[in-house]
Amino acid sequence: MVAKALKSFFRRVFSRMFGQKKELKMGFYGPPNAGKTSLANRICKDFTGEEIGSVSKVPHETRSVQFKEKVEISYKGKKMMFKIIDTPGIATKIDYEDFLKFKIKKKDAKNRAKEATQGVVESIKWLDDMDVVVIVLDATENPYNQVNITIIGNLVARKIPVLIVANKVDLRKANIKKIESAFPEYDVVGISARYGKNLEEFYESIFKLAKKV
Amino acid sequence: MAKKKSLGKIRGFSIQFLPYSELSGMDSTQRIKKILNIVLGNVILIIQGKIESHEESRLIEDTMAMIGHVKGFKGIELAVISGDNDGGFFVRIRRGLINAMGGGNLGALTIIGPATIVKEIKKNPKKIELLLDR
Ligand SMILES: Nc1nc2c(ncn2[C@@H]2O[C@H](COP(=O)(O)OP(=O)(O)OP(=O)(O)O)[C@@H](O)[C@H]2O)c(=O)[nH]1
Ligand SMILES: [Mg+2]
């Protein structure tokens, strides 16, 4: 507790002395297949020209934490340096048989499942390290999922600011309202990571979020 | 073992109720171990109250570590029902549960079950509803 308070005190003092040069660690968390990598890619592409990782309709595509440093997000004259951290989707269950539907060979499916379980553990381990976290949810899915609540609960306990993104609003089944009523204490931004819809509001929210650190 | 309350059996699995008093004296490591031991025995566990969020994330980590090491284990389903939220599948059985446990306001309930069994029930939810209405 004390160490954490000191750390944040020094961070504030130093960033003031050296003019906000330090990058904020921004983690992308959420269930598998929600669009974390799609969104992280968009941001990285917009501001560095490079992507961060591969996207797939098969869940657990991201199976280890990947990051991009020195991503300077600038929007309407505001500028801020981030380290973007894309994490493996967190789940309470992983069955290799679920991957067979996607025409993945049994051996590869088993391997994917094994890596995915390790990825979940890695994601959780990294939670402690974040300055701010963007929770990416698939707006066509039920948000009252205990995994979402567990992640947010952990972030609240660690006093890490949270922004919730309701992704895939391009789909007709998307329901932002449901996500808003599930998490009334949080800002919820509806976007489409795939089609780049409403990213302006997302960037605006990111600057608001960074102020809470 | 203290008052374990088995609610019944449907084809090789049972439901066990764990009063909070059985967990309150334990530290996090002991709690998680106890919970996982029960669930690994093909039991759906219903805990009165809820565990801390850091314990939930530890539970997920330990669950992941067991997949691939415990034969047939594919993980868990986890739900906390506190009354007004919509927990999907589990909420439908909540009413039955409260009745089965003798009614009254029990506050939150945490339900943890082996993923394979919950998947089976989802295919045929009537089975468990019937059981709980008894
Ligand atoms: N329709 C629609 N599909 C999307 C959107 N964003 C992502 N997707 C799709 O959803 C799938 C999963 O996207 P990813 O970005 O890989 O999701 P993720 O959260 O990184 O998934 P994991 O790495 O498995 O945890 C892919 O098929 C994407 O094309 C969106 O805004 N709209
Ligand atoms: Mg990903």
Side-chain angles (χ1 to χ4, degrees):
Chain A
M1 254 358 253
V2 176
K4 190 149 191 186
L6 273 178
K7 213 171 103 186
S8 91
F9 172 74
F10 280 117
R11 188 164 55 213
R12 246 170 254 158
V13 171
F14 280 114
S15 63
R16 213 163 289 157
M17 281 167 70
F18 301 111
Q20 284 289 352
K21 273 287 177 290
K22 200 183 172 307
E23 49 181 15
L24 273 189
K25 286 171 279 185
M26 177 158 67
F28 289 79
Y29 275 86
N33 218 41
K36 299 175 292 298
T37 308
S38 300
L39 177 57
N41 274 350
R42 228 170 229 288
I43 300 165
C44 292
K45 198 91 197 275
D46 277 358
F47 299 104
T48 71
E50 288 168 30
E51 300 198 328
I52 196 165
S54 65
V55 164
S56 167
K57 65 175 189 294
V58 188
H60 299 287
E61 179 65 7
T62 309
R63 296 186 293 285
S64 61
V65 171
Q66 42 198 6
F67 53 85
K68 193 163 265 327
E69 293 178 295
K70 304 222 159 44
V71 180
E72 189 174 49
I73 298 184
S74 65
Y75 177 73
K76 284 195 177 160
K78 281 179 254 175
K79 269 189 183 150
M80 200 156 198
M81 199 65 99
F82 290 93
K83 175 174 176 175
I84 304 282
I85 300 138
D86 180 28
T87 70
I90 298 180
T92 58
K93 55 176 197 273
I94 293 170
D95 186 350
Y96 78 90
E97 288 181 20
D98 292 340
F99 302 139
L100 301 176
K101 295 194 280 269
F102 297 96
K103 296 199 173 75
I104 292 177
K105 288 197 204 93
K106 193 167 174 178
K107 188 163 165 262
D108 296 334
K110 282 189 165 168
N111 198 38
R112 188 182 183 95
K114 188 177 170 206
E115 288 174 4
T117 61
Q118 293 160 350
V120 172
V121 174
E122 204 192 349
S123 279
I124 293 172
K125 291 260 183 290
W126 275 64
L127 264 176
D128 262 332
D129 247 42
M130 302 297 158
D131 294 316
V132 294
V133 165
V134 177
I135 306 274
V136 182
L137 302 179
D138 181 334
T140 68
E141 300 270 331
N142 183 3
Y144 294 94
N145 170 335
Q146 193 57 29
V147 167
N148 301 339
I149 297 161
T150 300
I151 301 171
I152 294 174
N154 274 278
L155 293 167
V156 169
R158 292 167 168 86
K159 300 200 163 57
I160 299 171
V162 172
L163 172 70
I164 297 176
V165 161
N167 190 32
K168 311 197 184 182
V169 294
D170 55 283
L171 299 175
R172 205 189 307 164
K173 263 183 68 193
N175 189 344
I176 307 179
K177 288 253 151 52
K178 196 163 179 189
I179 296 181
E180 282 171 344
S181 58
F183 305 104
E185 307 92 337
Y186 297 91
D187 279 341
V188 176
V189 184
I191 66 156
S192 166
R194 185 191 268 177
Y195 299 106
K197 222 172 111 187
N198 208 23
L199 283 179
E200 303 74 23
E201 192 190 341
F202 170 74
Y203 288 131
E204 213 152 307
S205 306
I206 287 300
F207 285 103
K208 265 208 298 201
L209 185 69
K211 276 202 197 124
K212 294 183 189 161
V213 177
Chain B
M1 288 229 64
K3 33 182 171 158
K4 243 199 249 175
K5 204 167 175 184
S6 181
L7 288 177
K9 259 191 184 14
I10 319 172
R11 265 196 218 154
F13 81 91
S14 63
I15 296 174
Q16 182 177 326
F17 177 62
L18 196 63
Y20 196 75
S21 57
E22 280 198 42
L23 291 176
S24 53
M26 297 180 162
D27 66 27
S28 295
T29 309
Q30 291 170 319
R31 282 183 188 182
I32 290 161
K33 207 171 149 193
K34 174 159 186 125
I35 290 170
L36 270 177
N37 271 336
I38 295 174
V39 173
L40 282 171
N42 274 357
V43 171
I44 292 187
L45 179 61
I46 298 158
I47 304 169
Q48 180 186 25
K50 48 188 166 191
I51 56 174
E52 309 258 335
S53 56
H54 72 89
E55 291 172 336
E56 278 176 9
S57 56
R58 276 270 306 277
L59 180 66
I60 296 175
E61 286 182 273
D62 290 358
T63 298
M64 288 298 127
M66 280 179 175
I67 298 175
H69 294 281
V70 176
K71 204 165 171 280
F73 184 63
K74 306 282 175 69
I76 58 170
E77 292 277 3
L78 170 65
V80 177
I81 300 167
S82 55
D84 44 29
N85 64 1
D86 168 13
F89 160 72
F90 283 118
V91 158
R92 283 189 278 124
I93 63 172
R94 177 173 179 267
R95 200 191 201 96
L97 274 174
I98 299 279
N99 291 340
M101 288 188 302
N105 184 10
L106 290 157
L109 292 176
T110 301
I111 309 182
I112 304 169
T116 41
I117 286 177
V118 176
K119 195 171 163 186
E120 269 311 304
I121 301 171
K122 272 180 176 164
K123 285 188 208 152
N124 195 355
K126 277 278 170 285
K127 248 188 213 169
I128 196 160
E129 278 166 19
L130 280 175
L131 168 88
L132 293 166
D133 281 342
R134 272 207 309 231

